[in-house]
Amino acid sequence: MAVGRRTTLTVAVLAAAFAAVQCIRVAPSNPAPRGDLVAPPEVKVPLRRACFDCHSNETTWPWYSKVAPLSWVMARDVNRGRQRLNFSEWADYASDPETLKHKLDQIVESITRGDMAPWYYGVLHSDAQLNPHQRELIIHWATQEASSISP
Amino acid sequence: MHRSPTLVLLAALGAATAVPRLSAAGSDDLVFEIRAQDGRFEPSELVVPANQPFTVHVTSAEKTAIEFESFELHRERVVQPGATITVLMPALGPGTYKFFDDFHHDTPEGAIVVK
């Protein structure tokens, strides 16, 4: 009996805590794009599908992005992703060509190493994975673009 | 149908200004210097005029490469020891735009203050 009461109490406390954290809300936001990525469709389409949720202002916020604490994790990841590389602010990078070149080099490095998307994102978004052909196309495009920028 | 040359000119002007443009960045007239040395930026606060493109020369006197980075300014550039890079900046609205060394997070942040 004591065990049953303890279990009930634990569930009640957890439920109350879960309800309480819902009061700490993060507002999902998609600011207006400031200069979208310019790339051929065979590059842009897979990038959009696999990367834009965290690396653009066109994030698709799923239902769990409104449920704490998942909402906190997602907002943090999107914020960090946009800070590091934001395809919706491509024109800003392009206004300093060496910064743009650096971003393109980072895309090549990241895709070559296969460290994007994070594993936990891939668990929920199987479509975030690039196939070998798509990786090759994106690497080729980014390499070409970077090499066209004169130092 | 006859159209007045003035109306045609105004229509053309309107169409031209409606085309989205990339904001130009960098200027030969407004050039500022930032130096990375002994684990800090000098000056740590750079005051620049609002609404004018400008250029920043970043020099590293550190023994290892630094990365001059600003999320707010969308700039990310590696500076090798002893090298100077030229960073082109667009016209900015008044405000404070932070920058940091992404290779050395113990280096205190700097800021470009636009007035």
Side-chain angles (χ1 to χ4, degrees):
Chain A
M1 262 326 201
V3 173
R5 192 175 298 163
R6 199 175 301 141
T7 304
T8 306
L9 186 64
T10 304
V11 169
V13 167
L14 287 175
F18 180 75
V21 298
Q22 302 313 310
C23 298
I24 308 170
R25 304 185 77 94
V26 286
S29 72
N30 282 353
R34 293 163 50 89
D36 204 5
L37 169 68
V38 179
E42 64 270 23
V43 169
K44 194 168 180 178
V45 169
L47 279 177
R48 181 182 293 280
R49 185 173 44 74
C51 313
F52 270 39
D53 265 351
C54 289
H55 292 289
S56 83
N57 294 348
E58 298 175 47
T59 306
T60 302
W61 297 93
W63 64 267
Y64 55 81
S65 69
K66 297 177 180 65
V67 181
L70 286 175
S71 57
W72 307 341
V73 176
M74 186 161 177
R76 184 204 62 186
D77 283 358
V78 170
N79 189 37
R80 286 182 181 172
R82 286 174 178 171
Q83 284 179 330
R84 291 291 171 187
L85 175 68
N86 190 336
F87 288 111
S88 300
E89 296 177 350
W90 199 251
D92 287 334
Y93 303 137
S95 66
D96 180 53
E98 285 293 322
T99 291
L100 179 61
K101 184 176 188 304
H102 192 74
K103 295 292 181 188
L104 289 161
D105 289 342
Q106 286 180 323
I107 289 171
V108 171
E109 279 174 31
S110 182
I111 292 179
T112 303
R113 285 199 307 259
D115 54 6
M116 279 288 149
W119 67 268
Y120 53 90
Y121 184 76
V123 169
L124 292 169
H125 300 84
S126 56
D127 57 348
Q129 303 303 323
L130 296 166
N131 67 39
H133 180 61
Q134 290 167 333
R135 281 201 291 270
E136 194 180 313
L137 281 174
I138 294 168
I139 288 170
H140 178 73
W141 164 78
T143 306
Q144 291 284 104
E145 287 288 307
S147 65
S148 72
I149 297 169
S150 52
Chain B
M1 191 171 79
H2 177 73
R3 286 188 179 137
S4 123
T6 308
L7 278 178
V8 172
L9 186 64
L10 282 174
L13 191 63
T17 52
V19 174
R21 290 177 299 165
L22 294 183
S23 57
S27 162
D28 291 336
D29 300 326
L30 269 178
V31 180
F32 301 90
E33 311 279 342
I34 293 175
R35 188 177 177 85
Q37 188 168 13
D38 301 328
R40 60 192 176 91
F41 289 109
E42 182 61 42
S44 60
E45 193 174 284
L46 193 66
V47 179
V48 306
N51 306 316
Q52 294 181 56
F54 60 99
T55 296
V56 180
H57 291 157
V58 182
T59 299
S60 173
E62 301 288 5
K63 292 184 174 63
T64 57
I66 68 158
E67 189 168 58
F68 176 82
E69 181 158 4
S70 170
F71 295 146
E72 290 140 344
L73 296 165
H74 303 94
R75 295 295 181 262
E76 184 175 2
R77 303 280 301 277
V78 174
V79 193
Q80 297 298 336
T84 298
I85 61 160
T86 300
V87 186
L88 308 179
M89 299 289 190
L92 298 169
T96 299
Y97 302 81
K98 291 178 183 168
F99 60 82
F100 60 96
D101 176 2
D102 198 28
F103 288 171
H104 305 91
H105 288 179
D106 50 340
T107 298
E109 282 184 344
I112 294 178
V113 179
V114 182
K115 290 184 176 173

